[in-house]
């Protein structure tokens, strides 16, 4: 949504401790990897079907998640360039801090905390517990705090839409707040000037009467005058009226970008 693309890539942190690996429980190390996740959007697909598809596609790649990001970049042909600048991690090891409390050889442990950081512009961590928590991280040298908060708010609205209407089609999702919608439709879309007389067809007819031979429309090597455009528009209007088209009726266009359009 924010990128304006329907084919996006982001990073995902995966576990490098497959249960099939003999002796993995005794190996020391973090054993995690960050791999790219490619998601292609089909705006006619429902939210539920979309999530099932993404889950299936990622499950099919489990056997290849041992590849390092550098190796994936080499295979993809990007060299040292970044495949993505955002990343996600789902931490699936809930910590029971109460089990850590107590005395250990005279040392009293009262709390357990951890911290982490990434070099990516934006990161999302899903944290386990009695309730799932979401944590957004960002690099202040690349994102303003207000922008990061807006992204987080949009993400929450999308999660609510998934929970409330999983049958909704992706193309009908609306992640904008009321303030953002007012800004787009009103504040940023004010007309250049107020037209306080007549309707657009009447104004066009007036221009036709004043300068019938002036160029009104150009496409490639084709140029039409106001009189020619008016004649074509009137012929089309009479055809549509004859087919029953009137005010507030919707007419579909199915022609490429051209003079006819």
């Amino acid at each position: 949504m924010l990128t304006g693309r329907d084919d996006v890539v982001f990073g995902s942190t995966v576990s490098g401790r497959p249960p099939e690996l003999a002796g993995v429980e005794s190996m020391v190390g973090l054993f995690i990897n960050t791999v790219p996740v490619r998601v292609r959007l089909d705006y006619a697909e429902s939210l539920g079907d979309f999530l099932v598809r993404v889950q299936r596609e990622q499950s099919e790649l489990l056997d290849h998640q041992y590849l390092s990001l550098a190796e994936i970049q080499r295979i993809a042909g990007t060299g040292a360039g970044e495949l993505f600048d955002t990343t996600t991690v789902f931490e699936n090891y809930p910590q029971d801090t109460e089990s850590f409390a107590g005395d250990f050889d005279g040392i009293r442990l009262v709390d357990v905390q951890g911290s982490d950081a990434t070099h990516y512009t934006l990161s999302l961590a899903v944290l386990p517990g009695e309730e799932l928590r979401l944590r957004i991280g960002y690099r202040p040298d690349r994102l303003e705090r207000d922008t990061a908060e807006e992204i987080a708010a949009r993400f929450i609205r999308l999660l609510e839409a998934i929970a409330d209407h999983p049958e909704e089609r992706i193309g009908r999702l609306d992640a904008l707040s009321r303030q953002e919608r007012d800004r787009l439709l009103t504040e940023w879309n004010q007309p250049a000037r107020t037209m306080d007389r007549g309707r657009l067809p009447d104004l066009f007819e007036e221009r036709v009467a004043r300068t019938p031979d002036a160029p009104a429309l150009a496409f490639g090597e084709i140029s039409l005058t106001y009189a020619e455009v008016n004649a074509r528009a009137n012929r089309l209007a009479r055809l549509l009226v004859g087919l029953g088209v009137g005010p507030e009726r919707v007419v579909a266009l199915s022609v490429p970008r051209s003079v006819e359009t």
Side-chain angles (χ1 to χ4, degrees), residues 47-63:
L47 286 167
D49 291 342
F50 165 73
L51 294 177
V52 170
R53 174 170 63 84
V54 172
Q55 174 69 16
R56 183 182 66 252
E57 291 174 350
Q58 295 310 303
S59 297
E60 293 172 351
L61 297 174
L62 286 175
D63 292 341

Side-chain angles (χ1 to χ4, degrees), residues 134-206:
L134 304 178
R135 186 183 69 210
I136 294 284
Y138 67 97
R139 282 182 51 172
D141 60 327
R142 292 190 179 181
L143 279 183
E144 298 288 342
R145 180 183 178 90
D146 290 347
T147 302
E149 290 179 345
E150 287 179 2
I151 292 174
R154 289 194 183 105
F155 183 62
I156 291 173
R157 285 193 288 272
L158 290 177
L159 290 179
E160 291 173 343
I162 292 173
D164 294 339
H165 304 287
E167 75 287 348
E168 186 64 272
R169 300 191 183 279
I170 291 177
R172 296 181 63 86
L173 284 178
D174 186 4
L176 297 178
S177 66
R178 181 178 299 177
Q179 293 78 6
E180 289 172 329
R181 178 167 293 281
D182 289 342
R183 189 185 310 155
L184 286 173
L185 299 181
T186 305
E187 180 180 342
W188 291 352
N189 200 32
Q190 291 290 346
R193 64 186 179 90
T194 301
M195 300 175 63
D196 56 359
R197 57 185 180 85
R199 302 170 304 153
L200 180 59
D202 297 331
L203 296 174
F204 192 84
E205 293 278 2
E206 290 179 12

